Amino acid sequence: MPAVLRQTGFWALVAFIVLFSVFPFYYAILTSLKSGTALFRVDYLPTSVSFANYAGVLSNGVFPLNVLNSVIVASVVVAISLFLAVTAAYALSRVNFAGRSLLLLTILAVSMFPQIAVLAGLFEIVRAAGAYNSLLSLIFAYMIFTLPFTVWVLTTFMRDLPVEIEEAAIVDGASPFTIVTRVFLPLMWPALVTTGLLAFIAAWNEFLFALTFVSNNDTRTVPVAIALLSGASEQEVPWGTIMAASVIVTVPLIALVLIFQRKIISGLTAGGVKG
Amino acid sequence: MATLKLTGVRKAYGAVEVLHGIDLDIRSGEFVVFVGPSGCGKSTLLRVIAGLEDITGGTLEIDGEVVNAMSPKRRGIAMVFQSYALYPHMSVYDNMAFGLTLEKAGKAEIDRRVREAARLLQIEPYLDRLPKQLSGGQRQRVAIGRAITRDPRVFLFDEPLSNLDAALRVQTRIEIARLHEGMEGTTMIYVTHDQVEAMTLADRIVVLNKGHVEQVGSPMELYARPDNLFVAQFIGSPAMNVLPATIEATGETTRVKPQGGALVSVPVSTPTAAIRQAVHLGVRPEDLTLAPAGGDGLFRGVVTLVEKLGEVTLVYLDTGGEKPLTAKLAGDVPLERGTTIALSARPEALHLFGSDGRAIRQRMRLAA
Ligand SMILES: Nc1ncnc2c1ncn2[C@@H]1O[C@H](COP(=O)(O)OP(=O)(O)OP(=O)(O)O)[C@@H](O)[C@H]1O
Ligand SMILES: [Mg+2]
């Protein structure tokens, strides 16, 4: 009896968590497929299917451009963050130098500042650098929150890679760069994929910097673009279009996670050293 | 072909000095084994030779060239690690080829050397497998193969067999011995805890203790004529019995009285001044024999424990001293706990050590 009870309890909890996290998205899909006054009826199952909202948002002119901007910003942020983080992680985890742990703590400390606290200062820097209203400003600003955790996670991960494997490579005549690229990187896929995905999602969803550093409609990224979607009149909030846009920008993230989840497997170092 | 010369090699981690001036000459093609208790600095010394640790003081020469500041690769060494340290994402073939690829050797040359090493170590069937698809013994052979393909001047092994089970350890040990015979002129340095490995593989054994060299010599030299108490008790299993004793008579042969034993003559000469000095008398368990019934023997005592190992019987004897005496008697000896027996030993099998632990040696016999 207790076993049955535990089983039921477990699955009830799972069901609750799934419902809790998936329902909002499900409701967004449902709403995006409605049209007209149906929007204001509460339904839990699709009644009629209309793609008018999707057609609307995609033909709106700048929205596809906004999606492209987001893709560019997020991809570049991920690429640069991972490159800097991997090289930094090697130094921070494997090279002994004075002030190493202080440096690590400082890097982590950077991520403690709320965005709003650094906003004004960053704005000045961005303006002074002439990057205002360009994607460059966002790429630069997003590093502030992607680098601390990518560096931190990869440093921790690299520190746990067996030292002997590195030493074997040194004896084999490998330079530090060869060690990182040909020995460590292949072992770090799980960490790279995880941190890369998180950095991508963070950059993709960022709102405050995107709102402040860019004022041009063509240069906006999707979170701001969606917030600024307006209806036919001042009073009307175009829920259908907003929901359609939201679904459109969420799908790439889900696709990315599904594609890369196969890479997020542990045990890549199995067999290298005796445990 | 490589000779090694260590002169006053020291290694310190911060304020902690781990190696206190090691002097060592290793001949070309020699198989040298480092032994010593855990933490004595065996691995550190090996890593200093490999170039994985900086040398704090002294010089290390390979073939007459000082290599203190040279990278491991340029020293021409290869190392086999205790934990295999294979590249987990590479096939066995790629593991063995990695070093050569970095040297930009030709494809055909790489292929030839990898296959030759694989044949030597009988790992040809596994060349396409990943390390995780191999057993421990196979992995260690791949690690040895990786070292062979680089054709090093000096081979370094850090306890390569300690992760293998007993049967595999014996088999791999024999393979390593065969390997050394087949690779004429390749110098090998081997770290181990295991006495049998040390005794069977070594041309010469280096006994280390607390960062010092205690003695260097051939296995039989160390066994028969240990320089000091440490080596005497470290080499041989079970360890040599050492009893406190006093010198009762000096001269051409010395008469000593061990604690819990009878007066005995040891064929070493001592000066007259040594009379009544405290010394240590050592006798190996395997040098003790049962004294004939009724005879007095050297030691007399009560049997406290009998361990039968098949080919030998270990007898622990309480002679009234601090520690029980261990005797290793051949065959199955019918002894009961609690019986009183007497043990004797040939005078030549007795070792005498001064109170400082240094051996008092049999004097060279003057022409008689
Ligand atoms: N990185 C280090 N920093 C400080 N001390 C160290 C370091 N590496 C080793 N030691 C110390 O140096 C001494 C020798 O270590 P080493 O690994 O050479 O011992 P070992 O003889 O190989 O022992 P074992 O047989 O257990 O492998 C030990 O006392 C150890 O604590
Ligand atoms: Mg060691």
Side-chain angles (χ1 to χ4, degrees), chain A residues 167 169 171-172 182 272-274, chain B residues 47 83 85-87 89 150:
Chain A
E167 290 178 340
V171 170
D172 264 346
R182 296 190 49 188
V273 296
K274 177 86 176 188
Chain B
R47 294 164 56 82
S83 58
L86 298 175
Y87 310 120
H89 57 293
R150 297 197 39 240

Side-chain angles (χ1 to χ4, degrees), chain B residues 236-253:
Chain B
S237 168
M240 181 188 279
N241 296 297
V242 174
L243 303 117
T246 16
I247 297 184
E248 297 290 348
T250 58
E252 192 68 2
T253 62

Side-chain angles (χ1 to χ4, degrees), chain B residues 32-268:
Chain B
V32 170
V33 174
F34 294 169
V35 295
S38 189
C40 68
K42 305 180 294 287
S43 300
T44 308
L45 183 55
L46 199 71
R47 294 164 56 82
V48 159
I49 294 172
L52 290 170
E53 303 279 357
D54 293 330
I55 300 180
T56 310
T59 55
L60 168 64
E61 292 165 53
I62 299 181
D63 281 336
E65 186 187 5
V66 176
V67 297
N68 281 30
M70 215 180 253
S71 69
K73 176 189 165 187
R74 293 196 35 235
R75 292 183 190 193
I77 53 105
M79 184 153 171
V80 177
F81 295 82
Q82 174 176 3
S83 58
Y84 324 133
L86 298 175
Y87 310 120
H89 57 293
M90 294 186 199
S91 68
V92 168
Y93 185 98
D94 290 338
N95 260 285
M96 290 167 66
F98 188 66
L100 292 174
T101 326
L102 294 180
E103 281 171 28
K104 309 242 183 306
K107 262 215 151 52
E109 167 74 2
I110 294 176
D111 195 63
R112 189 182 61 75
R113 299 219 330 229
V114 169
R115 287 189 191 282
E116 195 182 301
R119 193 177 51 239
L120 207 60
L121 293 163
Q122 294 153 19
I123 45 177
E124 281 167 304
Y126 319 120
L127 282 177
D128 294 326
R129 294 211 198 158
L130 287 175
K132 68 172 170 222
Q133 297 164 320
L134 300 176
S135 74
Q138 290 162 346
R139 282 181 210 172
Q140 196 52 283
R141 270 183 293 178
V142 173
I144 296 172
R146 180 172 63 182
I148 293 177
T149 50
R150 297 197 39 240
D151 197 16
R153 293 193 286 178
V154 185
F155 254 105
L156 306 176
F157 296 88
D158 193 355
E159 308 200 30
L161 309 185
S162 56
N163 277 329
L164 308 181
D165 67 43
L168 205 54
R169 206 177 302 176
V170 173
Q171 190 192 331
T172 316
R173 187 182 83 212
I174 292 168
E175 268 171 36
I176 290 177
R178 229 189 41 216
L179 197 71
H180 180 242
E181 254 164 50
M183 302 180 68
E184 227 165 289
T186 306
T187 310
M188 294 193 174
I189 304 179
Y190 188 104
V191 167
T192 181
H193 266 117
D194 187 307
Q195 290 230 3
V196 182
E197 279 172 34
M199 299 297 277
T200 53
L201 288 172
D203 292 324
R204 282 196 302 159
I205 295 179
V206 177
V207 182
L208 290 169
N209 183 26
K210 297 181 185 152
H212 292 283
V213 174
E214 292 282 355
Q215 191 176 359
V216 182
S218 73
M220 287 327 286
E221 242 170 75
L222 297 192
Y223 179 81
R225 288 188 289 119
D227 267 353
N228 51 48
L229 270 179
F230 179 82
V231 177
Q233 292 197 286
F234 193 78
I235 303 285
S237 168
M240 181 188 279
N241 296 297
V242 174
L243 303 117
T246 16
I247 297 184
E248 297 290 348
T250 58
E252 192 68 2
T253 62
T254 307
R255 287 177 75 75
V256 299
K257 166 91 176 61
Q259 192 184 78
L263 204 62
V264 62
S265 287
V266 186
V268 302

